[in-house]
Every structure is written in structure tokens, then in C-alpha cells.
């Protein structure tokens, strides 16, 4: 974010607290990296992971045995020469018979496994079953805004020791995109999907070279309910709909293979091939790490069912239902007393039953252990916590493999550590283990883990940090720039006329972790905001990475790019929570300036829609005091086909002399929807598009809104309903606002 002010003699660019929420990460000042301290201190934990990852890279020549541990990199399990190298005949194993369905092949695979081998497959660092040709697999990889070193799977190499590379060749970096909060500020769904496509291409290339996996635990789609949460920059912001649309597009970019975006009517979605596997996390009601002696490990979120449906679950439902994501990660915290990863209502009933997940459910890393070590839920033992989680619908338990025990071995997950104890004690059913493994291996089948996917088999080092991906990273950084304030038409500056630009604030020489934050891969070096503004960025040489955010700041300041980003979350008046003493808003969500003026015009004055409804699908509404209830106040969305739509056009007029892209964001003010409804949202985002408008030109933007999705609210009973009466469609920005009423009639 950028604040501009001026004095008589200098031009000042302030990169202080305005940048903080987006780019600041506290450095680790803990006196020790003791096991327990690590798990309560997130900065220490992440730094330790990165150090561990760096050590693994430098020593990778000692364990460079290929993806499947046979001394050679194979891109598929069912390769005859690989089986032969193991002394096995592949034709014996029907799970490699491509003429069979995925379900039959997975059934055969699990049928070969002993119960010990099955339990060994329940953690993120699986042991495999070499006697039947099944290799070990590491599930945990991250790709929040580019391939990340977080987790044990993705391996970048050290420029200082190029001869010690992992896999088939040395790779030192991948494309690092700006943080998600920056991407969200673009309000550009096409951009979000393109980023997912670029990241998944680089992921498949790394996999082909024996340097990474195909299952990525991204994106983070927690709704930001408090701006003091230090992980807000990982998320798409505070609006559930915007967060959900980001999730859908990023996931589609990560997973979709052209021509296989959907399945034919009546087809099985579990047979749809995917490019990589994404994971929407952390489910649910999770936006606290450590505050006022409350940690994410012990926190019990007390949430009304209405808030769960309206806010916390909505992005996840969109991610599963509309994005067809392959995985959902449950969070550390409890919700109304029950750990998220042991709540059958949240997992089996909602994610897999109501939303129809086609994939697996994974725990946040060590969330099962947290139930016994931190939350001490019901006094459960390790065995009991494992059993409760598996029965609730958890398929995969991520452990603490980045931490070593006293014997130098990784601290593994609870499922694989205590699973056999649970089986032998008669507390865990082998059939429940089979279900979990089925969900895992069906995902790997769809990824081509067993058979490869031909169109991606040639991806290699040349496809990582390509010219196309670098250009996309620059475009993303620019589109997400939000201009909050500038005075006296100071901007843009003319570099030929301005002799001096003073850049000040705590981030002028921003250290590495402020620039790229968490879950990132290694760039060769960073460009600070000061270097970007002075155009004195360091050279990295061919094939290496420079972070683009600082350059994007300079492009905006000097007029090479006209900013069009909008805030994806609300900024309150006081600088930090330490001085916050009231509700006054400094910059509202959706706010952002440009070097030009945009006006909106609409071709619709009013419209009406009639919804036929059976009387049993009518629901009551909570009305304000003194308002008489209607006979048929609202319709239950779940009991209706929801085919009704309204359409309209918005003319976006650029009245200035400089072209710019502009997000067109719509809202439905609930105070007029209808006004007599009690305790409804003031307004809610229901659609948005980003369009480029040349100077002194007009672009017409068409919208079609589904009535059930756009005009629904969540009642106090947690039903999602569409109220009868007059609602309003509102389209607004800082310069212009247009609206029209929509009369919704229920015909019984």
C-alpha cells in the first residue's frame, strides 16, 4: 500500500504502517528452539523449518535416490522396469492394470496391504509397501504464492554447492508471486487462476525431476475477522464471497487439465484427472495464533451456527463445491468445545456428505497431537485422539517431521505412531483405515502418480521461472497495488523533473521475511522498496529471481502503471491495536484510488422476479420491532432449484486522461433487502469483474446474478433464505455509486 504526501522541497514516499499488515512478519527472538517452544512460537517454527530444509538440500547428494527410492527418478509407480529393479513382476498387481477403473485398482492395492502397511500409510510421510511395489510418498508440499521450501518434499538447491543437487538436475528457485492479500486486492479472477496454472506447471516440472511432489496444501482461505491477526497477508481478506472466489479460481488453476474441467452428466468426479492437488485450509473458524495467552493449540472458538454458515464455512463450501478441490485441511482449534479434526459433523457430514468432497481430509500438522498435549480434550490418550479423528473423517495425519527427537529421527504423526496400538486394542477398525486410504489413493490415481499424465511428462527446468511466469508475477504485483492517499495531484512523479525522492518508514530496507513472508521459495536476492524507487535493483544474472513488489511500487509512483487495486479488508483509524479505541474506519474494504476518475452508469432502473415455491419451503424471518410478518416471508434456498436470475449492464466511464484497469464490485445492501429484516448484513459482495478502460473511454460490463446466491441471507436459525420484498443492487467506488431496486415475490 502507498501513502503519498508532499512538502515544498521534497517528495516523500511513506512505506510505514500502511505496509505493515501486508508485509510484516515478526522475527524470532526466542532464546531456544526447544521442541515445545517451537510449537507455540510460529516465527521460530517457520525459521526452523527453513533451516531444516536448507540442511536437507545441502546434504541431498547423500540421499538422492530418486522419487521412489530405487536409485533412479521415475515419474510413475506402474513402470515395468521399476518393478523389475525391485525383483517384482508388475503384471501380478492389478492396481497397475489401466483397463480397470480407479476404484477397482485402489481396491486391489489396499487388498494387497497388511494392516501394518495400511497404518504406515496414514501419515504425511508414508512408508509405502516395497514388497508389493508401492513406494513411499511425502504428501506435504506448499504453494501459497509459488513453490515453497516449507515441508519435507520440495527441494531447491544451494548455489554454493551445485554438485550436491537433488533429483536429476539443480534448480535454485521458482517463480515467487506476491502475497495472497496483494493478489486479492486485484479483484481479478482470471489472474488468480493464471497464478494457479503457473504454479502447478512448475510443480509438475519439479516432480518430473525428482525434486517435489504433486499434493500441495494451499491456499489459505481463512476469513480475516480481526486485522490484528498476523497471518492476514496469507489470505484473500475479510469477505467470505471474495475469499471463496479466490479459492475456486486458484484451485481450478492448480488442478484443472484442459478438456477435463468437469465430468459428463452421470459421470464419476473421482475419475477426473488433475494436474496437481490443492488443499483449502484451515477449516474452520481459525484466525488466531497467539494473543493474550490464547494460542491456536488451546483456543476454543465459540461460534453460532449462523456465523459458521454465513462466514467461516462459506469459502470452504465454495472451494469444495465450485472448485472441486481435492483436499481440505482441518485446523488446530476447537469449535464449540470439539477439536475441528475430531468433529464428525464438520468433516464426514459437512465436507464429505453435504459438499461432496472428491478427495481426502488432512490435519494441520500435528493437530491430532495437540488434542492430547495442548487442548487435553476429554483427557484423551494418543490412541483415543487418533481413533476419534479417524472416525470423524480424518484421512491423513500430518506430523512434526521437521523436528527431530532425541535419537535424531523425525517426530512422526499420531496415526502411524499409535495406529497399530489402536487396532490391537480393538479401538480402530481396519475398514475405517481402508476408507481413509481409498480417499488418498484415489487422489493419487487422478494425479497420474501411478500412470503419469502424458501432456505434463516433458515439463522440466525450462518451465520453472519462465519468461511467461516472470511477466505474470510482475502483472500480479502491479494489479494488486492499492493507492490509499495522495495530495495535490502529486502523483505520478516525473523522473526527469524530480531531483530527489525521500523514501522513509520501517520498510524502506525491508528484510527478506517482510518482502515474501511465509511459505515461499528461495529467490536469489531481494529488491527493497528503496531500491525499487531509486531503480538501483541488484542484478541476479540469468535464470534467477528478483521480487517484483518493490518494482511495482516504483511503477506506480513514476506513472508507468496506473493503480487499480482495492483493499480486500477494512483498515481502522488508529495505526495499531495498541492505540485502537473505537470503531472508526480509516479505509473501508473495497477502497482504492487511481490517477483517473471512474463513473458508473446503469441501464436498469428497477426489476422484479417471481419465485414459485411450495408452502413447506417457506421460512420465517426475524423482523425489526413493530414490523408485521408476511404470510410467506422467505424461501429456503436448500429446498429450491434456484434457477431465477437477473441481468443488467454497468457502463464504466474513464473521465480522466490516463487508462487504467478497474475492479467493478457489486454489493447487495441488506438494510434495503428488505429494510424491515432484523440483524442482516449492511451489504455483501456478490460479484466483481476487473476491466481495462482507456482514457476518456467507456466499457460496458454485463452481470447476471443468481437470485438465490446474490440475495440470500443466513437467518438466525442458520437457514440460508431469500427474503421477499424489495432488495437493492449497489455498484460503487470512491467516485461513483449507482443502484436499483429488485422486487422479489414469492408465489405459493
Amino acid at each position: 500500500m502507498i501513502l503519498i504526501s508532499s512538502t515544498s522541497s521534497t517528495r516523500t514516499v511513506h512505506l510505514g504502517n500502511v505496509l505493515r499488515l501486508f508485509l510484516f512478519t515478526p522475527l524470532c527472538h526466542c532464546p531456544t528452539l526447544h521442541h515445545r517452544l517451537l510449537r507455540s512460537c510460529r516465527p521460530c517454527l517457520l525459521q526452523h523449518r527453513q533451516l531444516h530444509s536448507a540442511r536437507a538440500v545441502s546434504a541431498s547428494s547423500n540421499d538422492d535416490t530418486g522419487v521412489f527410492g530405487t536409485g533412479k527418478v521415475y515419474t510413475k509407480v506402474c513402470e515395468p522396469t521399476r518393478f523389475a529393479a525391485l525383483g517384482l513382476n508388475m503384471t501380478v498387481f492389478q492396481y497397475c492394470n489401466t483397463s480397470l477403473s480407479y476404484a477397482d485398482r485402489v481396491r486391489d492395492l489396499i487388498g494387497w496391504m497388511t494392516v501394518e502397511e495400511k497404518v504406515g500409510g496414514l501419515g504425511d510421510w508414508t512408508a509405502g509397501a516395497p514388497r508389493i511395489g508401492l513406494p513411499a510418498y511425502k504428501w506435504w508440499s506448499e504453494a501459497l504464492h509459488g513453490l515453497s521450501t516449507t515441508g519435507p518434499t520440495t527441494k531447491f538447491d544451494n548455489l554454493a554447492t551445485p554438485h550436491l543437487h537433488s533429483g536429476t538436475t539443480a534448480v535454485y528457485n521458482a517463480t515467487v508471486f506476491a502475497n495472497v492479500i496483494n493478489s486479492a486486492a486485484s479483484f481479478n479472477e482470471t489472474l488468480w487462476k493464471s497464478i494457479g496454472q503457473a504454479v502447478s506447471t512448475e510443480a509438475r516440472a519439479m516432480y518430473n525431476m525428482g525434486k517435489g511432489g504433486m499434493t500441495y496444501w494451499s491456499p489459505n482461505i481463512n476469513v480475516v475477522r480481526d486485522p490484528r491477526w498476523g497471518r492476514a497477508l496469507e489470505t484473500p481478506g475479510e469477505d467470505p464471497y471474495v475469499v471463496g472466489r479466490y479459492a475456486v479460481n486458484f484451485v481450478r488453476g492448480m488442478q484443472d487439465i484442459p478438456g477435463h474441467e468437469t465430468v459428463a452428466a452421470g459421470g464419476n468426479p473421482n475419475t477426473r484427472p488433475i494436474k496437481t492437488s490443492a488443499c483449502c485450509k484451515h477449516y474452520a473458524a481459525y484466525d488466531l495464533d497467539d494473543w493474550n495467552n490464547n494460542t491456536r493449540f488451546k483456543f476454543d472458538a465459540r461460534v453460532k451456527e449462523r456465523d459458521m454458515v454465513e462466514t467461516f464455512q462459506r469459502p470452504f463450501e465454495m472451494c469444495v463445491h465450485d472448485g472441486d478441490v481435492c483436499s481440505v485441511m482441518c485446523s488446530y482449534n476447537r469449535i464449540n468445545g470439539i477439536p475441528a479434526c475430531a468433529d464428525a459433523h464438520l468433516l464426514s457430514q459437512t465436507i464429505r456428505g453435504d459438499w461432496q468432497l472428491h478427495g481426502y481430509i488432512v490435519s494441520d500438522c500435528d493437530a491430532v497431537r495437540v488434542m492430547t498435549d495442548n487442548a487435553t480434550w476429554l483427557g484423551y490418550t494418543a490412541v483415543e485422539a487418533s481413533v476419534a479423528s479417524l472416525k470423524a473423517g480424518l484421512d491423513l495425519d500430518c506430523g512434526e517431521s521437521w523436528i527431530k527427537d532425541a535419537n535424531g529421527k523425525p517426530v512422526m504423526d499420531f496415526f502411524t505412531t499409535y495406529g497399530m496400538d489402536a487396532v490391537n486394542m480393538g479401538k480402530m477398525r481396519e475398514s475405517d483405515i481402508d476408507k481413509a486410504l481409498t480417499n488418498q489413493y484415489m487422489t493419487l490415481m487422478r494425479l497420474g502418480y501411478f500412470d503419469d499424465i502424458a501432456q505434463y511428462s516433458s515439463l522440466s527446468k525450462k518451465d520453472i521461472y519462465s519468461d511467461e511466469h516472470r511477466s505474470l508475477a510482475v502483472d500480479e504485483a502491479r494489479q494488486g497495488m492499492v493507492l490509499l492517499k495522495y495530495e495535490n495531484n502529486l502523483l505520478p512523479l516525473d523522473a526527469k523533473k524530480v531531483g530527489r525522492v525521500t523514501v522513509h518508514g520501517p520498510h524502506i530496507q525491508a528484510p527478506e521475511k517482510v518482502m515474501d513472508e511465509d511459505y515461499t521459495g528461495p529467490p536469489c536476492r531481494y529488491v527493497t522498496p528503496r531500491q525499487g524507487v531509486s531503480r538501483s535493483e541488484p542484478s541476479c544474472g540469468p535464470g534467477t529471481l528478483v521480487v517484483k513488489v518493490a518494482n511495482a511500487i516504483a511503477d506506480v509512483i513514476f506513472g508507468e502503471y496506473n493503480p487499480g487495486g482495492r483493499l480486500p479488508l477494512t483498515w481502522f483509524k488508529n495505526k495499531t491495536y495498541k492505540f485502537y479505541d473505537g470503531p472508526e474506519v480509516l479505509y473501508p474494504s473495497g477502497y482504492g484510488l487511481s490517477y483517473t476518475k471512474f463513473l458508473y452508469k446503469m441501464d436498469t432502473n428497477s426489476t422484479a422476479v417471481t419465485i414459485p415455491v411450495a408452502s413447506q419451503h417457506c421460512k420465517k424471518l426475524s423482523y425489526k420491532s413493530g414490523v408485521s410478518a408476511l404470510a410467506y416471508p422467505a424461501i429456503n434456498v436448500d429446498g429450491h432449484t434456484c434457477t431465477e436470475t437477473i441481468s443488467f449492464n454497468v457502463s464504466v466511464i474513464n473521465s480522466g486522461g490516463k487508462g487504467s484497469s478497474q475492479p467493478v464490485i457489486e454489493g447487495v445492501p441488506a438494510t434495503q433487502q428488505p429494510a424491515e429484516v432484523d440483524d442482516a448484513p449492511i451489504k455483501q459482495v456478490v460479484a466483481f469483474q476487473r476491466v481495462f478502460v482507456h482514457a476518456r473511454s467507456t466499457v460496458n460490463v454485463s452481470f447476471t446474478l443468481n437470485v438465490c446466491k446474490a440475495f440470500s441471507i443466513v437467518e438466525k436459525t442458520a437457514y440460508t433464505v431469500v427474503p421477499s420484498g424489495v432488495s437493492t443492487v449497489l455498484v460503487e467506488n470512491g467516485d461513483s455509486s449507482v443502484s436499483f431496486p429488485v422486487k422479489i415475490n414469492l408465489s405459493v
Side-chain angles (χ1 to χ4, degrees):
M1 317 313 285
I2 306 170
L3 272 174
I4 302 297
S5 60
S6 64
T7 65
S8 58
S9 59
T10 64
R11 302 295 187 260
T12 302
V13 181
H14 184 72
L15 297 167
N17 290 314
V18 177
L19 267 171
R20 181 164 299 170
L21 183 59
F22 283 73
L23 298 176
F24 177 72
T25 300
L27 299 178
C28 178
H29 296 295
C30 296
T32 178
L33 292 180
H34 186 268
H35 177 187
R36 294 300 173 201
L37 180 60
L38 272 172
R39 297 178 61 241
S40 62
C41 177
R42 176 173 175 75
C44 289
L45 178 60
L46 288 166
Q47 289 183 32
H48 186 69
R49 290 183 193 175
Q50 290 158 358
L51 290 171
H52 174 68
S53 176
R55 286 195 297 269
V57 168
S58 65
S60 61
S61 61
N62 296 326
D63 60 4
D64 183 21
T65 55
V67 178
F68 301 133
T70 58
K72 179 180 179 181
V73 171
Y74 293 91
T75 58
K76 61 181 180 180
V77 172
C78 295
E79 168 62 49
T81 58
R82 194 186 72 83
F83 274 78
L86 295 171
L88 300 173
N89 181 357
M90 192 182 80
T91 61
V92 172
F93 303 98
Q94 290 300 294
Y95 73 81
C96 284
N97 185 347
T98 57
S99 68
L100 299 178
S101 68
Y102 286 168
D104 287 339
R105 294 175 64 184
V106 168
R107 192 176 301 112
D108 179 74
L109 171 60
I110 296 174
W112 280 100
M113 300 172 72
T114 65
V115 67
E116 291 82 4
E117 289 167 338
K118 292 176 182 179
V119 168
L122 293 176
D124 65 295
W125 200 329
T126 69
R131 68 180 187 84
I132 62 171
L134 181 66
Y137 183 75
K138 296 177 183 178
W139 285 85
W140 182 15
S141 299
E142 298 282 356
L144 183 69
H145 54 114
L147 299 184
S148 169
T149 54
T150 303
T153 310
T154 305
K155 292 185 178 181
F156 291 100
D157 300 299
N158 192 333
L159 275 168
T161 54
H163 60 290
L164 296 179
H165 68 78
S166 62
T168 60
T169 188
V171 176
Y172 304 109
N173 56 262
T175 306
V176 177
F177 293 91
N179 276 299
V180 175
I181 199 73
N182 182 268
S183 297
S186 72
F187 283 89
N188 188 337
E189 296 189 64
T190 302
L191 175 67
W192 300 338
K193 185 174 182 179
S194 295
I195 293 170
Q197 291 170 329
V199 173
S200 60
T201 291
E202 298 192 2
R204 291 291 306 210
M206 289 288 281
Y207 173 78
N208 289 345
M209 293 183 287
K211 305 178 74 66
M214 291 192 287
T215 48
Y216 287 82
W217 294 347
S218 305
N220 179 344
I221 61 168
N222 293 120
V223 173
V224 179
R225 291 295 297 268
D226 190 317
R228 293 171 293 181
W229 186 36
R231 298 181 68 178
L233 76 174
E234 296 178 25
T235 78
E238 71 181 14
D239 184 85
Y241 176 79
V242 175
V243 173
R245 290 308 303 169
Y246 177 89
V248 169
N249 283 278
F250 182 81
V251 166
R252 287 288 181 180
M254 287 287 289
Q255 294 190 169
D256 283 359
I257 296 174
H260 297 279
E261 293 86 352
T262 60
V263 294
N268 182 359
N270 282 307
T271 65
R272 185 173 76 91
I274 51 175
K275 186 178 180 184
T276 59
S277 170
C279 173
C280 284
K281 64 183 185 183
H282 313 81
Y283 178 81
Y286 177 83
D287 62 352
L288 180 145
D289 276 60
D290 190 351
W291 179 77
N292 245 12
N293 296 320
N294 293 287
T295 71
R296 56 184 177 163
F297 303 126
K298 295 183 178 181
F299 184 61
D300 186 3
R302 296 290 174 167
V303 187
K304 294 180 180 179
E305 286 302 312
R306 180 185 192 180
D307 289 333
M308 285 295 289
V309 173
E310 184 176 48
T311 299
F312 296 114
Q313 287 182 316
R314 190 181 186 194
F316 289 92
E317 180 179 9
M318 294 170 68
C319 183
V320 175
H321 187 267
D322 300 331
D324 195 23
V325 73
C326 286
S327 179
V328 173
M329 176 183 287
C330 53
S331 52
Y332 292 112
N333 58 290
R334 286 169 288 167
I335 302 173
N336 298 324
I338 304 175
C341 290
D343 192 330
H345 171 71
L346 290 178
L347 305 187
S348 293
Q349 180 179 327
T350 302
I351 297 177
R352 193 168 298 284
D354 297 343
W355 301 344
Q356 294 293 295
L357 173 72
H358 307 122
Y360 67 99
I361 300 173
V362 61
S363 72
D364 201 346
C365 291
D366 230 29
V368 179
R369 182 186 297 268
V370 162
M371 295 178 201
T372 64
D373 287 10
N374 300 87
T376 58
W377 181 57
L378 299 180
Y380 270 12
T381 64
V383 166
E384 291 167 332
S386 299
V387 171
S389 300
L390 187 71
K391 286 183 176 179
L394 186 65
D395 302 308
L396 184 66
D397 181 18
C398 178
E400 293 183 313
S401 58
W402 66 90
I403 297 176
K404 301 296 180 65
D405 63 18
N407 298 318
K409 295 182 179 180
V411 178
M412 303 304 291
D413 63 280
F414 262 32
F415 275 13
T416 59
T417 302
Y418 298 101
M420 283 309 303
D421 290 340
V423 171
N424 293 332
M425 293 167 65
K427 294 179 178 292
M428 183 178 287
R429 295 184 179 183
E430 189 172 357
S431 60
D432 289 337
I433 299 173
D434 291 349
K435 291 176 183 177
L437 294 178
T438 297
N439 294 328
Q440 293 181 30
Y441 288 125
M442 286 294 287
T443 302
L444 292 178
M445 282 284 180
R446 296 172 62 195
L447 283 164
Y449 178 72
F450 290 90
D451 309 316
D452 205 1
I453 295 179
Q455 67 196 88
Y456 300 125
S457 61
S458 63
L459 293 177
S460 62
K461 185 175 181 177
K462 64 178 173 43
D463 300 292
I464 299 174
Y465 192 55
S466 64
D467 290 343
E468 179 184 359
H469 294 175
R470 288 198 298 272
S471 177
L472 180 63
V474 172
D475 187 38
E476 178 223 17
R478 286 173 169 170
Q479 288 197 38
M481 283 288 127
V482 180
L483 183 62
L484 295 179
K485 179 180 178 181
Y486 73 103
E487 300 172 349
N488 304 319
N489 292 319
L490 174 66
L491 292 181
L493 301 179
D494 187 337
K496 297 179 180 179
K497 297 180 180 179
V498 176
R500 176 180 297 176
V501 176
T502 301
V503 185
H504 72 88
H507 298 114
I508 59 170
Q509 294 285 56
E512 296 176 2
K513 294 309 297 177
V514 172
M515 292 300 295
D516 62 15
E517 227 281 328
D518 300 334
Y519 299 108
T520 188
C524 75
R525 63 184 60 174
Y526 295 82
V527 179
T528 68
R530 180 177 180 177
Q531 291 170 329
V533 172
S534 66
R535 303 295 187 177
S536 61
E537 63 187 67
S539 172
C540 282
T544 49
L545 175 65
V546 177
V547 172
K548 301 299 182 183
V549 174
N551 291 345
I553 294 172
D555 291 341
V556 170
I557 291 172
F558 291 105
E560 295 181 21
Y561 187 81
N562 192 354
R566 301 284 194 89
L567 285 179
L569 73 174
T570 302
W571 288 61
F572 295 98
K573 184 175 182 179
N574 287 291
K575 293 181 178 180
T576 76
Y577 71 92
K578 292 182 179 180
F579 308 105
Y580 176 71
D581 60 359
E584 188 173 354
V585 171
L586 181 62
Y587 299 112
S589 181
Y591 178 85
L593 301 178
S594 174
Y595 296 151
T596 189
K597 297 292 183 182
F598 288 98
L599 301 177
Y600 294 159
K601 288 186 177 180
M602 208 178 281
D603 64 357
T604 304
N605 295 321
S606 64
T607 190
V609 59
T610 299
I611 303 176
V613 55
S615 60
Q616 67 266 26
H617 295 304
C618 288
K619 293 296 176 185
K620 293 182 179 180
L621 279 177
S622 300
Y623 288 107
K624 294 177 180 177
S625 178
V627 175
S628 298
L630 299 175
Y632 302 106
I635 179 177
N636 179 13
V637 167
D638 289 338
H640 185 61
T641 55
C642 292
T643 58
E644 294 81 11
T645 61
I646 64 168
S647 298
F648 58 95
N649 296 318
V650 178
S651 297
V652 185
I653 305 165
N654 183 347
S655 61
K658 194 174 183 64
S660 178
S661 57
Q662 174 77 355
V664 183
I665 307 173
E666 297 174 73
V668 181
T671 52
Q672 302 172 24
Q673 181 202 305
E676 59 267 20
V677 176
D678 188 34
D679 198 24
I682 297 171
K683 59 183 176 181
Q684 55 191 12
V685 176
V686 297
F688 52 89
Q689 295 183 45
R690 184 167 180 134
V691 295
F692 185 88
V693 187
H694 291 285
R696 299 182 178 87
S697 299
T698 300
V699 171
N700 293 318
V701 183
S702 297
F703 289 97
T704 297
L705 302 182
N706 179 281
V707 173
C708 284
K709 292 181 179 180
F711 295 92
S712 63
I713 61 173
V714 180
E715 241 288 307
K716 291 179 179 179
T717 58
Y719 273 118
T720 301
V721 300
V722 176
S724 62
V726 178
S727 298
T728 301
V729 170
L730 172 69
V731 182
E732 60 181 345
N733 64 14
D735 303 320
S736 181
S737 176
V738 292
S739 63
F740 67 90
V742 178
K743 182 121 183 345
I744 299 176
N745 303 300
L746 301 184
S747 175
V748 180

